[in-house]
Amino acid sequence: MAAHLKKRVYEEFTKVVQQQQEEIATKKLRLTKPSKSAALHIDLCKATSPADALQYLLQFARKPVEAESVEGVVRILLEHYYKENDPSVRLKIASLLGLLSKTTGFSPDCIMDDAINILQNEKSHQVLAQLLDTLLAIGTKLPENQAIQMRLVDVACQHLTDTSHGVRNKCLQLLGNLGSLEKSVTKDAEGLATRDVQKIIGDYFSDQDPRVRTAAIKAMLQLHERGLKLHQTIYNQACKLLSDDYEQVRSAAVQLIWVVSQLYPESIVPIPSSNEEIRLVDDAFGKICHMVSDGSWVVRVQAAKLLGSMEQVSSHFLEQTLDKKLMSDLRRKRTAHERAKELYSSGEFSSGRKWGDDAPKEEVDTGAVNLIESGACGAFVHGLEDEMYEVRIAAVEALCMLAQSSPSFAEKCLDFLVDMFNDEIEEVRLQSIHTMRKISNNITLREDQLDTVLAVLEDSSRDIREALHELLCCTNVSTKEGIHLALVELLKNLTKYPTDRDSIWKCLKFLGSRHPTLVLPLVPELLSTHPFFDTAEPDMDDPAYIAVLVLIFNAAKTCPTMPALFSDHTFRHYAYLRDSLSHLVPALRLPGRKLVSSAVSPSIISQEDPSQQFLQQSLERVYSLQHLDPQGAQELLEFTIRDLQRLGELQSELAGVADFSATYLRCQLLLIKALQEKLWNVAAPLYLKQSDLASAAAKQIMEETYKMEFMYSGVENKQVVIIHHMRLQAKALQLIVTARTTRGCGMFLSKMYFITDLPHLQDSFVDKLLDLMPRLMTSKPAEVVKILQTTLRQSAFLHLPLPEQIHKASATIIEPAGESDNPLRFTSGLVVALDVDATLEHVQDPQNTVKVQVLYPDGQAQMIHPKPADFRNPGPGRHRLITQVYLSHTAWTEPCQVEVRLLLSYNSSARIPKCPWMEGGEVSPQVETSIEGTIPFSKPVKVYIMPKPARR
Amino acid sequence: MPEIRVTPLGAGQDVGRSCILVSIAGKNVMLDCGMHMGFNDDRRFPDFSYITQNGRLTDFLDCVIISHFHLDHCGALPYFSEMVGYDGPIYMTHPTQAICPILLEDYRKIAVDKKGEANFFTSQMIKDCMKKVVAVHLHQTVQVDDELEIKAYYAGHVLGAAMFQIKVGSESVVYTGDYNMTPDRHLGAAWIDKCRPNLLITESTYATTIRDSKRCRERDFLKKVHETVEHGGKVLIPVFALGRAQELCILLETFWERMNLKVPIYFSTGLTEKANHYYKLFIPWTNQKIRKTFVQRNMFEFKHIKAFDRAFADNPGPMVVFATPGMLHAGQSLQIFRKWAGNEKNMVIMPGYCVQGTVGHKILSGQRKLEMEGRQVLEVKMQVEYMSFSAHADAKGIMQLVGQAEPENVLLVHGEAKKMEFLKQKIEQELRVSCYMPANGETVTLPTSLSIPVGISLGLLKREMAQGLLPEAKKPRLLHGTLIMKDSNFRLVSSEQALKELGLAEHQLRFTCRVHLHDTRKEQETALRVYSHLKSILKEHCVQHLPDGSVTVESILIQAAAPSEDPGTKVLLVSWTYQVRGGPRPTELSSDVTTPPCPTLPTSLPLP
């Protein structure tokens, strides 16, 4: 009886679902389809005044138009256009035409004739300009159609002589975007094609309106971007524009000069008023350098930026940019940089204590001094001390790029970069530190330079200090004094800002391993050992002492003589640190030890292969799963998972792969276990309790599959398919369980959307499901369940192909440390800010995915989206989150702990491309398929807080 | 011939008592009114009697412009306006207007109270003088009278320092005052647009110097101060109250902030406090950083810098003290110096130039034992450093500014003659601009080309613009119109409008010529043939056959007539009006009709 009843319920339920779906679909069709063109037509006919018509058009423009109805709409608009007297309405229609012709799936060549037609009769300049814009839209939509392009170019040329600058602007824009490329001009027969677009545009370089001049240069640049080779003659024209009165013209001209210089770097140009000739790129470089001291900062930024990408420039010119040729009272003077260098090389440390230290030396020949060189003299000196920080940043960036390509220049620009560490704007300081890091391969810091660099370690900004630590990681220091100085300053930094501990240790690790020979003579001093006396054993928990040890041990790795200098306790400390801070302390070959580690450590590289092999083998073993009995399969899976996990722990490079496959296997294991349950053989009412296990398994598999899909970087499409397949199986399982216990069934079919994007997989669940699809669609729910059940049990285990590189996203919360016993007290109802500092590894797009969760003791959970600016990117694959979380709660009687953790949010619809018209529109049909959720991916940290009741 | 006349009363080939007279298109302007530091007699003020022997100054001068508040640019102002007598307007920027009286008062106090001078201007005179001041904003064009206008540009020398453009009609002069082309910690760089004045009067203090990057100087300064306080020493920085003092304060303040230092910094009270107050107010006049951040925090609200008290000098531990005056010749800075000189840990940093004879100059030149008053000998053990922080443009900067403004002539003032000579030569060589450097009292006369503005109606302009096919931006172009001179203004209008305005009738000039054709047919037929022939060769022109048998080609009329005496010949009458352009030329036309080797002419048409 019960079974019968259930059957009836199912029948009704399914019916209802189908009807609803149908109804919705038909309604939608009726609502949207016929509206557009007809409604517009009616509206426009109704409009009594131009203002009315404009309103209607504006309303119309807010809604999207389907590709099929575009043509109809265009006809109506054109019809109205001919009748309309008011230019503003015509303008709007023209702009709408342009918008409509951009619709995907609509080919605008049919409206081009009309557009050109109305263009010929139009009188208003604004409407003309707008129509040209429309033509531009049409032209760009049809890039293959040569004839149309020619025709449009022709139209543009006709209107070039218009008196309005707007029209001329648009014409030039059209020419720039559609002007024929030289290759296609081979057919001379077409006559029009032979128009020299460059010549025409070039003529407008001397237009009387600055806006038109700018547009002409931009059009020329556009031609270049489209692959047309610009003539060299343009260079001279562009040079004249550099002294234009208007900044936008100058700014564009600088760009054009740069382009030409990249095209013809080696051609020779004469220097005016002399017989000499120089390479074009050098000449252009000189000219752009000159623009670094332009009156307008926009131009200065532009010029400084472009300087960076002129790598072909000869080194003679390049080095001039850093030389200002100082003089004082007509006598040559050395720069402070030169003096510092001299003092350094003469062995005396910079004293600067004498007045007249900088006294000018030899007399300068008055005739030879050139105050405004056309050359590059001092361009960067000016750029780096510019008033606007935008210019300074651009100059630093340019320095960086040039220094990367020229080691000798890198050496020279060092002094200037070091000077920038003292800029008044933090952004500039940071930028110059980063720049220095990038070029650090080419340079070795002198002691006095290092001194200046290290002085910045006291900066109160954490970003600056950390950037500096990164810089020190990869700098070359020339002397042992330098190393000592660096260590002393870093220790000072450590005492002043204890939170920098990790960063400083890491920095010292690299410093040590880079300069083993320089560290060697310092060891006795650093460890304060004495040849005769035993010294007191330092405190092992002192971060400063650990820092020193990190430096020494890393140096000792490549310097076998060093351990001989260690005292006994140093060895003990080594053993301790090797264990506790293994990422900082390398394995050492120590004398008199049992070299356990040394046997392993030197051969890490050769060992990689076996572990890779092991991974492969254990995964291959699993393929045989199919042929095993359920019991054996379970066991095999269990110990493979265990193996993989252990492997992941041992080999950090393989951790991602191992974890990934282990998770997958765990899912399979759960699935097998669930299917193993006895419940399938028992009648429905009896297994109510047991089914908990199956449904829990299904739920867990789902979770794991989401983790697999979103927590690993480097997952490719083929893996995603397999993961989806697994999830589908889990859903099927869930369905079966729920169908047998409760009454839900309808949902499953809607979840079948997976099937469409799953490829045909031999022998798989989906494969079978697809075979049975026709039956599933028609059969009754009970039957569906039955079919699913058998398919599920018969389906084969799918082999998961391993991706090349796979990394698990992970996060560690550095702060709050969760060790404090002092509760954070605040008045209830108000907020307290909690500083959160965390490192994220292998997280893609952390700005959008990473969230902070705060769990209160009462179970209340709060999700916080950090600002995009809170994420720093110190290295590839690494991110750093430094943010503030605001906590608040009602008053408590006791202090209690809240949990803070990081979540990775995902959105499964992110992989499905959106259609363009959908954006502003109603709810998209895909919504139900997109699943949003979060995965916790950091260890929770407990924070002790105490909201006090407010005092009245 | 119009001309601009410039006479420096001070600052001609000299530094100090800047005062320059400019006559431009009948207007007389006085630029700056400064005093000379080096003199205590009559020579300290400019010789105003030069301007006008007996008449009142107010009648002669149209306005006075003060570029900034330094005393060598404004020190003689109360004397000039109150004692000599001038009631006209005095223009200066707002910060200058605010700070100027403080400095004048201070100057007066020293001259009268300390030196006991009589016949000096009084406090009341300063106040009265300031009442005549009109304050201007940056880039604000101020109409002094109907013709004379002035405009201020940013100069970056001290707070409120400005360059002024003086313009009468189409003639203009730019006076730079003192300016700085490299920005510093509290001020931006001088800037001027391409105003192309007839004359640019520029200072040339550092005419023969190209300076090193300011960053090295700043870094050195900070490093020295930091090292000294770290070792427990005291740092004394003698400064003058305004200008550099604020820059150094900002520099130290931000450094302290960045490095999280706790060592106290003190600033001697008095004049400086008042001045700091004004610095806080005039944020728009400072540099980018201060302007951008002042919403969060006004950089002049020093967190680490506190007011100094005499007792603090004996406090133990490190400290930094800014004290006046800058050359260690008297006052607080000297007192502190005497207290600290004995300790080698301490340091004194001289941020500016010191005049010979002062303690500052002595220690800078390396003297270690100083004789103080009362035969005391002070042994200087403390470290002595010299740092040059100067806010004048160097030679490159001057050239840069000249390049920016693109003047026709340059005139150098405020500098030494020898150095000017060099710069003058350079300017003439490299910029190809004539350059002058008059001494005090010497007059430079510059002829200017007279330009007469003519108004043109927009319609005419547009019509004429449309005629030219190719854009030629700066080339002169021929234009047809009628020039009307009426009540001393000129207008260019189209001829139709001119006729209308003047009430004249239009006369048309018509030219006719006859062409004889040998044709026996009737007139109509001849006309028709001519018509069809012209139609075929003049495709781009409008050829019409009128019902009365005549043919028109645009405005040219052709009629065929048969002279009575000879029926075999026909006469073509070609008639055209006098016009400038457009349409085929009648001469071309007649030759078309008549030249023999015209292939399209019907062969039966006999030619004369």
Side-chain angles (χ1 to χ4, degrees), chain B residues 228 231-234 337-348 379-383:
Chain B
T228 311
H231 296 126
K234 297 176 168 65
F337 175 75
R338 286 169 76 169
K339 270 188 189 154
W340 293 358
N343 192 338
E344 64 269 17
K345 269 195 198 164
N346 298 344
M347 178 186 281
V348 57
E379 198 175 348
V380 182
K381 285 189 186 152
M382 78 198 296
Q383 303 161 55

Side-chain angles (χ1 to χ4, degrees), chain B residues 499-512:
Chain B
L499 286 173
K500 215 166 96 191
E501 272 181 39
L502 302 175
L504 294 175
E506 188 178 0
H507 293 274
Q508 262 200 359
L509 219 57
R510 258 194 120 74
F511 301 86
T512 52

Side-chain angles (χ1 to χ4, degrees), chain A residues 616-637:
Chain A
Q616 283 302 335
Q617 279 167 2
S618 40
L619 286 178
E620 272 161 25
R621 212 165 41 203
V622 185
Y623 300 158
S624 56
L625 208 63
Q626 212 60 42
H627 317 297
L628 291 170
D629 61 299
Q631 195 58 38
Q634 275 189 34
E635 275 168 25
L636 176 65
L637 281 173

